[in-house]
Amino acid sequence: MASVFCAVSARTHLPPALVHPTAARKLLFRCSAASTMDAPSESSPSAEKKTTTVFVAGSTGRTGKRVVEKLLARGFGVVAGTTDVDKARDSLPQDANLQLVRADVTEGAEKLVEAVRGMDAVVCATGFRRSFDPFAPWKVDNFGTVNLVEACRKAGVTRFVLVSSILVNGAAMSQILNPAYIVLNLLGLTLVAKLQAEKHIRRSGINYTIVRPGGLTDQPPSGNIVMEPEDTLYTGSISREQVAEVAVEALLCPEASFKVVEIISRADAPNRPLKDMFAAIKQN
């Protein structure tokens, strides 16, 4: 189940030169069985390492931060969206391939367009922060995600990865009495809000991957990833490290396109390449 304490992506007006990295190249959708980015062959001195630029919404959240770190480790350029640039500067890696922007997904699509313009892909790892506002889940997890999708459509960004949650469609799964479904929906119908955002993404025409993790832990992985089709898993947990790994791998795997996947980890699960797991899921 998705965490309910994540960073909310934000933005104010910035000159384009401060918003975007230098000339982003077209996204290269490749995936290796070992879940690593292909490196140039030593036998081909002229081979050039392909780079891409990814906007990460919710970059200072506990999952978003790990997404940023893994993207940088895999050679991506990253534009990190955050409500607090100072916090992001202190908590995110010092890296020449990382740029920070202030971007607020709740302020509407028009204000997000310049933040995502020129990006090859967007990873949305936002989540509302607990507050006295009963509408916070809808402002962030529904309308905020919709705003980000619409900004991508306006800016011509065609690849979108969303970190959502298992049980978002719990009612249709006969899980309405599942304690986790009840608890998360007590917080402003969080899962219902996430499901509405998912539906919008699926209608948008954007090449999407929706990743629905189980209960999120901050501990190192204690098992291997299990990936199932949508509306399959209703219990289980997974390390945020593994969630970030799946989100980043989705950008590299054409097998991940137009799919909703649910993930947890189990100690007795086999260690399978993510490419193979994505390929085993039926396309929506």
Side-chain angles (χ1 to χ4, degrees):
M1 292 136 273
S3 168
V4 294
F5 187 74
C6 302
V8 179
S9 231
R11 154 153 181 86
T12 55
H13 296 290
L14 287 176
L18 297 180
V19 172
H20 300 300
T22 57
R25 300 185 181 121
K26 288 295 289 182
L27 184 60
L28 176 67
F29 293 112
R30 295 189 300 170
C31 183
S32 66
S35 297
T36 57
M37 197 165 192
D38 294 338
S41 170
E42 293 182 2
S43 62
S44 304
S46 61
E48 181 183 9
K49 182 179 180 181
K50 298 296 190 296
T51 60
T52 65
T53 307
V54 181
F55 180 88
V56 179
S59 61
T60 56
R62 288 178 288 173
T63 300
K65 177 182 177 182
R66 289 167 170 84
V67 171
V68 170
E69 292 170 345
K70 289 187 179 293
L71 284 168
L72 292 172
R74 299 286 287 273
F76 288 87
V78 179
V79 175
T82 176
T83 54
D84 189 334
V85 172
D86 290 334
K87 177 183 177 181
R89 189 174 292 113
D90 292 338
S91 63
L92 294 177
Q94 299 295 312
D95 193 296
N97 290 323
L98 174 65
Q99 295 195 19
L100 309 177
V101 296
R102 182 172 172 79
D104 189 341
V105 298
T106 68
E107 291 182 354
E110 292 299 333
K111 291 188 177 182
L112 292 167
V113 170
E114 288 306 314
V116 302
R117 193 183 301 281
M119 300 295 102
D120 297 300
V122 167
V123 176
C124 181
T126 57
F128 82 98
R129 298 184 184 203
R130 293 187 183 185
S131 70
F132 293 108
D133 183 357
F135 300 106
W138 286 83
K139 291 177 180 177
V140 178
D141 295 296
N142 180 14
F143 302 130
T145 302
V146 169
N147 288 338
L148 193 57
V149 171
E150 289 307 300
C152 288
R153 281 160 49 97
K154 292 175 184 295
V157 181
T158 59
R159 190 70 177 97
F160 195 97
V161 175
L162 172 69
V163 179
S164 184
S165 173
I166 64 170
L167 281 175
V168 292
N169 205 21
M173 298 168 63
S174 300
Q175 292 296 314
I176 197 167
L177 297 181
N178 185 311
Y181 185 78
I182 293 171
V183 168
L184 286 174
N185 277 320
L186 284 176
L187 300 171
L189 296 176
T190 304
L191 294 179
V192 178
K194 288 179 180 292
L195 180 62
Q196 297 309 306
E198 287 190 13
K199 290 179 178 179
H200 183 84
I201 292 170
R202 296 170 77 159
R203 294 191 300 262
S204 69
I206 289 177
N207 181 349
Y208 66 85
T209 304
I210 297 171
V211 179
R212 295 177 177 175
L216 298 172
T217 73
D218 294 312
Q219 303 304 313
S222 59
N224 292 319
I225 296 171
V226 174
M227 184 181 292
E228 298 289 348
E230 62 180 309
D231 301 342
T232 299
L233 299 174
Y234 54 86
T235 187
S237 62
I238 188 168
S239 167
R240 294 178 190 273
E241 289 287 337
Q242 292 170 307
V243 176
E245 180 184 352
V246 172
V248 172
E249 198 71 15
L251 295 175
L252 297 167
C253 292
E255 295 86 353
S257 294
F258 299 103
K259 292 183 179 180
V260 179
V261 300
E262 299 186 342
I263 55 173
I264 59 173
S265 65
R266 292 182 181 140
D268 59 349
N271 186 10
R272 299 175 57 205
L274 285 172
K275 176 182 178 181
D276 293 348
M277 287 191 266
F278 276 122
I281 304 297
K282 183 179 178 180
Q283 191 176 62
N284 297 299

